[in-house]
Amino acid sequence: MPSYNPADVERRWQQFWETHKTFRTPDPGDPAAAGKPKYYVLDMFPYPSGAGLHVGHPEGYTATDILARFKRMRGFHVLHPMGWDAYGLPAEQYAVEKNVHPRITTQQNIATFRRQIKALGFSYDWDREVDTTDPGYFRWTQWIFLLIHDTWYDPEQKKGRPIAELPIPPEVRARGEAAVARYQDGYRLAYQAEVPVNWCPALGTVLANEEVVDGKSERGGHPVERRPLRQWLMRITAYADRLLDDLEPLDWSESIKQMQRNWIGKSEGAEVDFELASVRDYREANPSELVDGFAPIRVFTTRPDTLFGATYMVLSPEHQLVDRITTPEQRAAVTAYQQAAARKSEFERTELAKTKTGVFTGAYAVNPVNDERIPIWIADYVLSGYGTGAIMAVPGHDERDFAFAKQFGLPIRTVVRPTDEWLTKTGSTLDALTEAYSDVGVAVNSGLLDGLPTAEAKQKIIGWLQEKGVGHRRVNYKLRDWLFSRQRYWGEPFPVLHPADGGPTVRLDPGVLPLVPPDLEDFKPTGTPEGPLSKATDWVNVSIGGKDYHRETNTMPQWAGSCWYFLRYIDPKNTEALADPAKLRYWLPVDLYIGGAEHAVLHLLYARFWHKVLFDRGYVPCPEPFQRLVNQGMILGEYEYHVTVEAEAANRAELAGLGVVATRRESEDPKKPDTYVLKVTAAEGDKPANLPDELVEKVKGKMVLKGLGIELATKAEKMSKSRGNVVNPDDIITEYGADSLRLYEMFMGPLEAVKPWDTKSIKGVYGFLSRAWRLVVDDDAEKLKLNAAVKDIEPDKDTLRVLHRTVQKVTEDTDGLRFNTAIAAMMEFVNHVTKLEARPRAVLEPFVLLLAPYAPHVGEELWRALGHTTTLAYEPWPAWDPALTKADEIEVPVQVNGKVRARLRVPAEIGDKELEAAALADEAVKAQTAGKTVKMVKVVPRKLVNVVVG
RNA sequence: GCGAAGGUGGCGGAACUGGUAGACGCGCUGGCCUUAGAAGCCAGUGGCCGCAAGGCCGUGGGGGUUCGAGUCCCCCCCUUCGCACCA
């Protein structure tokens, strides 16, 4: 063979690995695993879209593959699987568009993804492949649903327990079986409720809060409206505290942990009841009468210490008390405001948040701490979905309340003393604040709290409220229960039956699972909240034991299958259980999980929640599934030159004269202006290319278009079809091979960094692989033959040192996921050995082993050229000798007053005294210090000398 | 507005606990090879001044600590990401 030909090498080795099942992972008891520590490296499995693989996919997959191969060579028993997250909206949308059954499109998409992924040479154990739409898989998704449905959360023990263990109050038991069933239904972790949901008419389904961004669907950007519907929900809120606390010890990036914490949004404070003034008046006038039916207004606050500063109250426009308390004079204004608020989407409400709006209801409430009567307003700055949907407004110490109070002339009272510094800075006095002081401080104007610092004041007032029966301590979460049903066809059916007579929902026996969806011809959404499954009347209506039932016509959301797939890889063919407990004990938790940051909250939070339920019920051995999580950074498109709209307009003719084509590019951020992208077209029919260097110059640190002086901005943007900057991995593999693609993606920069793609840079890694190839292989021979320069000789000292340094660097950097610097070290090795006339086999062999996890096809082929007949996948990883990494002679810089003036070549083991003497004896140093007094000489042993003169 | 991560040559990026800034790669320049090109190989490549030796400047900006700062401290600017009326 010949010169490096990736297409040939890669095809043959992929074939070899497949036929020899090189990467089959034996189960724990197997002799092949004996004595080895386990290592579970997991990729976030892809959603096989119609568009095929994107260059972003191989980034994470290459990283995990390098680590999997590295760990195998270091003696670990490695689990490294792949599968498909194939249920869900996008597949169904695609199927509806193409008018092909989603099962067919899904299988086609999976086939494409599998082919593309296999072409990259990853060392997956393909015998463990899972597909969430496979009945053998979703049988267990449904089984887990039943388990969650069978579980209630015991706040005492802080864990999920079987519903059979839920204590039933005697009065409920007395009312009979149906009553007990209804009571239990109220506690299940999977439950049905009529709740206001995010209904998306365009998609014909409801969406989880997590799937709605800025009031639009995350997918497609369609408008979303609120409407009440019967839905399945998961009581994830019961686990909020554990999801929060267990985050702490995980080896995840701080930013992802923070995003999860924010999403859970725990805040501690108090709930306080404010009685209506009218109720109080009536009660006081009729002391003997039992006044009922007028509940107080309950608010949640994190600052109960500021209760004395509450000068008004605000209810959300949707609050149920609004209609009952509004006075006749205010009725018209209130109704009008409510209607206006209802018309606004959530998005508009927040978008137009600059000025506060609101209306007085005419009613008053009594502040329980000082019996003061304060007006009750409604305003849309108070959200119905958080806390109690009502607040006590403390304008002195809350920015929003302050703005509102200013807007409507409501009183502002200082009840926490700001620092003097703050008063001066803001130009406030204690009696006249110019803005809200929301920090902690010492309570003033607050009766029994006066003089207490915030923390103590909170404790004291909560105690007081509890004593009086008008308030209590309360923890609140932003996290909502997880809306778990979708009105779609392409998802797991719920394994339940609804009795036609309206009785409590019945669970299917786990033994009859999987419940397979009906084979619908027409799977399009109905456009109504009845899902497409309702069209399959034969499937929906069943009669068991003479009783009529109908099946649930909602399906589970896309996230269901991905909540537990990493468990199924461990035992993918098990028909008795989701996985063998012994195998789960062996492999869990996942040691390293790599994937995109877009799953920071959704998938990772849901999967953690399911895992905890499974843990509580004894099905998995650990409370957290993913010990270490790394998010790869996004790969952006190639950088392009942009100019402002004004510059384009002013220079249109000149640009055309230079052969430059300007295309308007809409800004993603509505707050930022559009730009024009500049390209050139060399010949007719050519794809426009980036501006060549001849057209660009640097003037005063700014990039400008040569001649015209227009300022250019270089920008790299997300890859997207609309921008036409998507890179297809297939094209790169055809031109340079999978090894080069792998290497390039790792060489671009740190794994976690966002980085722009640059196709021409692949030449660098391709050249490196070609050089490595020629190092070992005879380039001119017809067949694979060892290069004649490879000899069984002792390496010289220098070469040995380069080898040992390379082994050390590559080992440490691979272990730390610093693949870019590991590759740089291998490049330096090749640059060094290329210069040698005779190349010692003793340094080439370890090098090939180092290279193999990164470029496995080239690695195997070179290993074969060196005379080996088996795969190198399980060869021991090379070791390095620290003594051999050290040089005999080192270069030490000498500074005079902190500036490098000379470099000395000295023996590596030189003492400080000798080093100092050598430095002072140096001619260049003498020249710099001549005529000056040496004040001090700082010697950093074997590193540096600094001579200070004055 | 809040939170997080960043800002180093023309570009992607290196730089261990403060100790030779710019490893490695792209691009660019010159040379070799070639009928020519491609590929490959060799050399050079932060900026400014200088024939050279050498000098001065230089890690977003400004100040500070230190013999010595990309790295530590204070202030400011910018970029990206996440959250965003959460009481």
Side-chain angles (χ1 to χ4, degrees):
Chain A
M1 202 158 15
S3 49
Y4 174 45
N5 177 357
D8 171 61
V9 174
E10 291 174 3
R11 191 178 343 99
R12 278 188 294 108
W13 281 103
Q14 282 164 19
Q15 190 70 60
F16 178 95
W17 296 326
E18 182 135 353
T19 45
H20 291 81
K21 291 204 184 274
T22 306
F23 303 110
R24 191 184 68 86
T25 309
D27 283 328
D30 193 282
K36 290 182 173 182
K38 69 96 184 178
Y39 196 81
Y40 188 176
V41 218
L42 180 70
D43 289 299
M44 285 187 189
F45 67 165
Y47 192 94
S49 69
L53 218 60
H54 175 275
V55 289
H57 288 110
E59 191 192 11
Y61 302 162
T62 302
T64 52
D65 193 60
I66 289 168
L67 214 72
R69 290 173 179 272
F70 172 71
K71 289 283 181 184
R72 274 186 211 107
M73 294 171 80
R74 300 207 90 194
F76 286 82
H77 186 44
V78 173
L79 179 59
H80 185 41
M82 179 47 77
W84 320 108
D85 182 16
Y87 263 139
L89 253 177
E92 190 171 339
Q93 291 286 99
Y94 182 78
V96 168
E97 273 165 37
K98 305 267 166 185
N99 201 27
V100 185
H101 195 282
R103 179 169 300 107
I104 295 167
T105 55
T106 298
Q107 287 313 315
Q108 285 168 348
N109 292 350
I110 287 177
T112 304
F113 265 63
R114 191 191 291 114
R115 175 186 63 72
Q116 290 185 301
I117 286 178
K118 285 195 172 181
L120 279 148
F122 297 130
S123 62
Y124 295 121
D125 177 357
W126 286 103
D127 290 349
R128 292 173 183 266
E129 181 179 346
V130 303
D131 166 0
T132 56
T133 65
D134 176 1
Y137 181 90
F138 70 71
R139 168 186 178 184
W140 296 104
T141 310
Q142 292 170 331
W143 183 91
I144 295 170
F145 173 83
L146 288 177
L147 179 78
I148 295 170
H149 185 256
D150 182 61
T151 305
W152 65 288
Y153 193 80
D154 180 350
E156 300 284 309
Q157 292 185 19
K158 293 192 178 6
K159 68 180 276 200
R161 297 173 59 191
I163 199 75
E165 293 176 12
L166 176 71
I168 309 290
E171 66 273 18
V172 172
R173 195 171 290 283
R175 290 206 299 272
E177 236 174 83
V180 170
R182 278 184 215 289
Y183 182 81
Q184 287 177 326
D185 282 352
Y187 285 85
R188 294 179 188 275
L189 293 184
Y191 65 99
Q192 302 171 76
E194 178 97 0
V195 287
V197 296
N198 305 299
W199 168 254
C200 178
L203 295 175
T205 186
V206 304
L207 299 170
N209 290 333
E210 290 84 343
E211 293 167 311
V212 180
V213 178
D214 290 341
K216 301 208 168 99
S217 64
E218 191 192 19
R219 220 164 247 287
H222 304 293
V224 170
E225 54 191 56
R226 308 283 288 176
R227 60 155 88 173
L229 277 181
R230 184 193 62 85
Q231 296 294 325
W232 281 97
L233 290 109
M234 292 244 168
R235 210 179 295 280
I236 190 172
T237 48
Y239 281 78
D241 251 327
R242 279 170 61 189
L243 288 168
L244 192 63
D245 293 345
D246 291 355
L247 215 44
E248 199 50 45
L250 295 180
D251 188 7
W252 293 17
S253 75
E254 196 45 44
S255 63
I256 297 288
K257 286 189 188 179
Q258 199 53 46
M259 280 159 78
Q260 293 224 342
R261 284 189 205 112
N262 287 344
W263 193 265
I264 294 167
K266 180 178 182 171
S267 52
E268 294 173 73
E271 275 185 353
V272 187
D273 290 341
F274 285 65
E275 194 174 23
L276 286 167
S278 55
V279 176
R280 164 83 58 108
D281 290 344
Y282 187 85
R283 203 158 51 80
E284 282 173 353
N286 307 277
S288 56
E289 199 175 321
L290 200 66
V291 180
D292 203 10
F294 258 109
I297 298 174
R298 177 164 290 187
V299 301
F300 173 71
T301 174
T302 55
R303 290 295 299 269
D305 61 299
T306 61
L307 254 167
F308 286 88
T311 52
Y312 64 101
M313 299 189 81
V314 187
L315 308 185
S316 63
E318 300 86 351
H319 198 282
Q320 37 175 325
L321 278 178
V322 175
D323 286 346
R324 299 166 70 179
I325 64 172
T326 302
T327 58
E329 309 80 70
Q330 293 300 108
R331 174 78 52 194
V334 165
T335 308
Y337 187 81
Q338 282 179 311
Q339 282 168 354
R343 268 200 306 276
K344 282 194 240 175
S345 68
E346 203 113 332
F347 183 58
E348 287 170 317
R349 275 200 189 185
T350 51
E351 196 60 358
L352 304 169
K354 284 147 220 149
T355 50
K356 296 270 183 286
T357 59
V359 177
F360 178 44
T361 61
Y364 289 82
V366 182
N367 187 336
V369 294
N370 55 12
D371 290 337
E372 208 173 305
R373 285 163 192 241
I374 56 177
I376 304 170
W377 288 62
I378 63 169
D380 64 6
Y381 85 90
V382 172
L383 308 173
S384 58
Y386 184 78
T388 60
I391 62 156
M392 64 173 204
V394 184
H397 305 285
D398 180 283
E399 278 175 47
R400 297 151 299 181
D401 298 343
F402 186 91
F404 191 84
K406 279 282 171 196
Q407 184 83 19
F408 295 102
L410 293 156
I412 298 168
R413 192 177 302 157
T414 306
V415 292
V416 179
R417 174 184 277 280
T419 59
D420 291 342
E421 196 189 359
W422 185 89
L423 289 172
T424 317
K425 199 182 85 193
T426 59
S428 302
T429 64
L430 205 50
D431 298 319
L433 302 177
T434 57
E435 56 185 89
Y437 177 78
S438 47
D439 248 337
V440 295
V442 173
V444 292
N445 302 323
S446 294
L448 72 161
L449 302 180
D450 280 348
L452 291 177
T454 300
E456 284 173 42
K458 282 184 186 175
Q459 297 311 313
K460 183 158 185 181
I461 196 70
I462 290 172
W464 185 91
L465 291 166
Q466 266 164 261
E467 214 171 276
K468 301 275 173 195
V470 292
H472 53 95
R473 191 179 306 280
R474 168 81 196 203
V475 177
N476 226 319
Y477 299 92
K478 273 201 280 182
L479 184 71
R480 309 275 82 163
D481 275 346
W482 174 17
L483 188 78
F484 195 71
S485 35
R486 298 292 181 275
Q487 291 65 47
R488 302 298 296 210
Y489 172 65
W490 197 232
E492 299 87 347
F494 284 83
V496 296
L497 290 170
H498 302 290
D501 64 14
T505 300
V506 177
R507 303 152 49 81
L508 288 189
D509 185 302
V512 309
L513 300 179
L515 172 61
V516 181
D519 215 349
L520 276 187
E521 292 256 323
D522 174 18
F523 44 83
K524 291 182 189 64
T526 59
T528 69
E530 272 300 299
L533 288 182
S534 62
K535 298 177 191 171
T537 46
D538 289 357
W539 182 85
V540 170
N541 299 310
V542 287
S543 180
I544 299 168
K547 202 169 169 196
D548 288 338
Y549 297 90
H550 58 264
R551 296 193 192 276
E552 173 68 59
T553 55
N554 286 314
T555 54
M556 298 189 200
Q558 193 192 325
W559 315 103
S562 60
C563 273
W564 72 284
Y565 73 109
F566 52 94
L567 302 176
R568 190 63 179 172
Y569 284 141
I570 288 172
D571 197 6
K573 309 244 157 47
N574 198 321
T575 53
E576 304 303 312
L578 65 94
D580 177 345
K583 292 179 187 172
L584 291 171
R585 253 195 316 281
Y586 178 84
W587 285 113
L588 289 175
V590 172
D591 297 283
L592 177 66
Y593 193 20
I594 295 186
E598 66 272 22
H599 295 111
V601 271
L602 303 171
H603 160 62
L604 288 170
L605 198 65
Y606 296 151
R608 291 179 63 219
F609 164 54
W610 276 36
H611 200 81
K612 285 185 186 305
V613 179
L614 288 168
F615 173 70
D616 286 353
R617 298 297 304 268
Y619 291 96
V620 294
C622 50
E624 282 289 330
F626 315 120
Q627 183 48 44
R628 184 173 181 209
L629 172 78
V630 174
N631 294 109
Q632 86 257 20
M634 203 193 319
I635 295 181
L636 305 174
E638 300 216 11
Y639 75 86
E640 296 168 311
Y641 289 104
H642 292 248
V643 295
T644 60
V645 173
E646 295 74 29
E648 192 274 340
N651 295 278
R652 199 160 287 168
E654 292 84 346
L655 287 169
L658 287 168
V660 173
V661 185
T663 317
R664 195 176 181 111
R665 178 71 55 81
E666 268 181 45
S667 165
E668 232 172 65
D669 183 345
K671 276 174 281 193
K672 293 195 178 152
D674 290 358
T675 53
Y676 275 87
V677 177
L678 302 187
K679 299 265 179 179
V680 290
T681 345
E684 221 35 62
D686 262 13
K687 257 188 150 181
N690 242 350
L691 296 184
D693 291 347
E694 304 93 81
L695 283 177
V696 179
E697 67 181 342
K698 202 178 168 185
V699 175
K700 289 185 192 145
K702 287 178 175 165
M703 303 294 289
V704 299
L705 193 63
K706 199 167 266 183
L708 297 180
I710 310 170
E711 196 175 331
L712 298 169
T714 54
K715 267 202 288 194
E717 300 176 289
K718 270 188 202 169
M719 286 193 190
S720 72
K721 235 189 261 172
S722 64
R723 278 189 276 259
N725 60 352
V726 176
V727 178
N728 183 341
D730 286 346
D731 298 343
I732 305 296
I733 292 176
T734 307
E735 190 154 1
Y736 298 98
D739 282 336
S740 288
L741 176 58
R742 293 170 57 116
L743 225 37
Y744 173 64
E745 294 217 3
M746 295 299 100
F747 189 60
M748 290 170 84
L751 181 62
E752 295 175 76
V754 175
K755 36 208 179 271
W757 181 267
D758 179 29
T759 297
K760 66 183 186 304
S761 286
I762 299 174
K763 273 189 197 166
V765 290
Y766 180 78
F768 159 68
L769 285 178
S770 305
R771 282 149 65 85
W773 177 272
R774 288 196 301 269
L775 223 46
V776 178
V777 172
D778 185 343
D779 222 9
D780 298 323
E782 290 289 315
K783 280 196 169 163
L784 185 66
K785 190 178 156 219
L786 199 60
N787 192 312
V790 178
K791 303 233 167 73
D792 288 310
I793 50 166
E794 282 291 302
D796 63 78
K797 237 180 155 175
D798 238 20
T799 303
L800 201 60
R801 193 180 66 246
V802 170
L803 173 71
H804 283 259
R805 282 189 172 173
T806 306
V807 174
Q808 176 177 13
K809 181 92 177 130
V810 173
T811 307
E812 290 172 354
D813 286 355
T814 304
D815 210 39
L817 310 183
R818 293 182 297 271
F819 305 121
N820 54 331
T821 49
I823 293 167
M826 290 191 275
M827 287 173 167
E828 288 184 76
F829 174 89
V830 167
N831 291 345
H832 174 86
V833 179
T834 299
K835 292 191 184 107
L836 302 178
E837 302 245 323
R839 297 159 201 156
R841 173 190 289 273
V843 304
L844 290 180
E845 294 213 337
F847 167 72
V848 168
L849 294 176
L850 296 185
L851 178 64
Y854 289 82
H857 311 87
V858 168
E860 293 273 22
E861 190 75 0
L862 296 185
W863 192 240
R864 174 144 302 186
L866 285 162
H868 300 277
T869 52
T870 56
T871 172
L872 50 56
Y874 297 92
E875 284 298 315
W877 187 254
W880 78 91
D881 179 351
L884 293 176
T885 61
K886 297 204 174 73
D888 298 337
E889 214 181 32
I890 53 171
E891 193 185 79
V892 175
V894 182
Q895 300 179 334
V896 176
N897 286 349
K899 287 189 176 168
V900 178
R901 297 296 182 184
R903 294 168 213 279
L904 305 175
R905 287 218 64 92
V906 295
E909 296 307 316
I910 193 167
D912 294 357
K913 291 252 168 55
E914 290 86 344
L915 185 56
E916 180 175 338
L920 292 172
D922 184 88
E923 288 304 322
V925 175
K926 277 188 188 163
Q928 287 290 329
T929 57
K932 293 167 185 157
T933 40
V934 175
K935 285 187 178 162
M936 73 173 285
V937 180
K938 182 87 182 173
V939 178
V940 182
R942 293 184 294 280
K943 274 273 188 193
L944 169 140
V945 181
N946 189 9
V947 182
V948 185
V949 296

